[in-house]
Amino acid sequence: QVRLVESGGGSVQAGGSLRLSCVAFGGTYSNYDMGWFRQAPGKQREGVAAIYTGVGMTVYADSVKGRFTISQDNAKSTMYLQMNSLKPEDTATYYCAAVTKGLVIPGRLPPFGTWGQGTQVTVSS
């Protein structure tokens, strides 16, 4: 079973940038599709971005399109989320997610089943 460890969260002012990292331990990275979710206090967890690692296809939530970029380094078993032009509404705990590769569905997030412990992102106005 793969284990996911996030890092890179922090506090930043609106308009700033952060880069989150997620390292996958205990599994073969290329066997998984990967993604990022977030959960703000009192709200449901929502999908932010995902990458079908085998084909490099990416999916983004409308709220982050044009501001966030998901990428990966297979050699390092690491996925990234570059977050630019951050807004106070981006404040949340961000979670890395993984699922064994399956059907590629353009525009849809894979059915993730493995989660990291989360990293906090706080954006002040």
Side-chain angles (χ1 to χ4, degrees), residues 59-93:
V59 181
Y60 294 95
D62 288 342
S63 58
V64 306
K65 281 181 181 177
R67 300 188 298 123
F68 290 11
T69 302
I70 189 171
S71 63
Q72 60 181 353
D73 185 334
N74 285 9
K76 296 182 178 179
S77 299
T78 301
M79 174 183 63
Y80 304 97
L81 185 68
Q82 178 67 43
M83 306 186 293
N84 299 329
S85 302
L86 282 161
K87 304 175 181 180
E89 51 264 44
D90 294 318
T91 296
T93 302

Side-chain angles (χ1 to χ4, degrees), residues 7 11-12 18 22 24 34 68 71 80 90 93 100 110 115 122:
S7 62
S11 297
V12 64
L18 284 172
C22 171
M34 303 289 291
F68 290 11
S71 63
Y80 304 97
D90 294 318
T93 302
T100 302
W115 304 88
T122 303

Side-chain angles (χ1 to χ4, degrees), residues 7-67:
S7 62
S11 297
V12 64
Q13 289 191 326
S17 299
L18 284 172
R19 189 177 80 155
L20 305 183
S21 299
C22 171
V23 181
F25 296 96
T28 301
Y29 181 85
S30 59
N31 288 345
Y32 298 93
D33 292 321
M34 303 289 291
W36 290 96
F37 283 68
R38 67 186 180 187
Q39 187 166 21
K43 295 187 177 181
Q44 289 188 330
R45 186 174 297 189
E46 64 168 340
V48 174
I51 184 166
Y52 289 95
T53 59
V55 298
M57 183 182 298
T58 57
V59 181
Y60 294 95
D62 288 342
S63 58
V64 306
K65 281 181 181 177
R67 300 188 298 123

